[in-house]
Amino acid sequence: MDPVSDMIVSVKNAYLAQKEQVILPYSKLKFEVAKALERAGFVGKVQKSEDKITVDLIYVDNKPRMSEIKRVSKPGLRVYVKSKKIQLIKGGRGTYLISTPQGIMTSAEAKKKNLGGEVICLVW
């Protein structure tokens, strides 16, 4: 399994277990994915300390802020999207995380900057 998939499963399981935060092993890619989730409002504060990433989880009325997160582009099957083909997810409540030449960003940020790239995951 690839590291990003491990991270996604860890965050999803922490939400299901009603944890306040999740601690993940550090890598630059995972940190950038976590920061993009923070900018999109699906997780709370993301902090880096030496070789760990601490992600605070958000709950609204005892329900997780993030109801689902799925890996789209996998090591065996890469999925790419052009900026003009980026669509709304769940009526605008969800977002893609896209790896662009300018870094990892949400689908709204990528569309605004007219950038496409590899679709990392889908979040709603």
Side-chain angles (χ1 to χ4, degrees):
M1 198 175 223
D2 68 309
V4 176
S5 292
D6 288 341
M7 174 196 168
I8 288 171
V9 170
S10 295
V11 170
K12 186 176 177 180
N13 288 341
Y15 264 124
L16 292 174
Q18 299 285 318
K19 302 281 185 181
E20 290 183 20
Q21 65 181 11
V22 61
I23 298 172
L24 307 162
Y26 176 79
S27 81
K28 186 175 179 183
L29 177 63
K30 290 192 277 189
F31 184 69
E32 291 300 319
V33 169
K35 291 301 267 183
L37 287 171
E38 179 183 22
R39 285 193 310 274
F42 289 107
V43 298
K45 191 170 181 180
V46 175
Q47 299 173 354
K48 174 188 141 189
S49 61
E50 294 186 24
D51 61 341
K52 301 286 181 198
I53 302 170
T54 305
V55 180
D56 294 335
L57 305 178
I58 300 173
Y59 297 92
V60 179
D61 296 330
N62 263 351
K63 292 184 180 177
R65 174 68 177 91
M66 178 190 319
S67 56
E68 187 66 48
I69 182 167
K70 292 184 178 180
R71 181 82 156 125
V72 176
S73 187
K74 300 173 184 171
L77 178 64
R78 300 292 182 185
V79 177
Y80 297 93
V81 67
K82 294 181 181 180
S83 63
K84 300 205 185 313
K85 299 285 184 180
I86 297 173
Q87 303 172 350
L88 288 177
I89 292 96
K90 299 286 185 182
R93 293 177 301 182
T95 187
Y96 287 115
L97 293 187
I98 302 173
S99 177
T100 67
Q102 294 183 5
I104 295 174
M105 52 185 70
T106 64
S107 54
E109 294 168 339
K111 194 167 182 92
K112 186 175 171 183
K113 293 184 178 182
N114 201 25
L115 294 170
E118 182 182 350
V119 180
I120 296 174
C121 61
L122 168 64
V123 186
W124 70 87

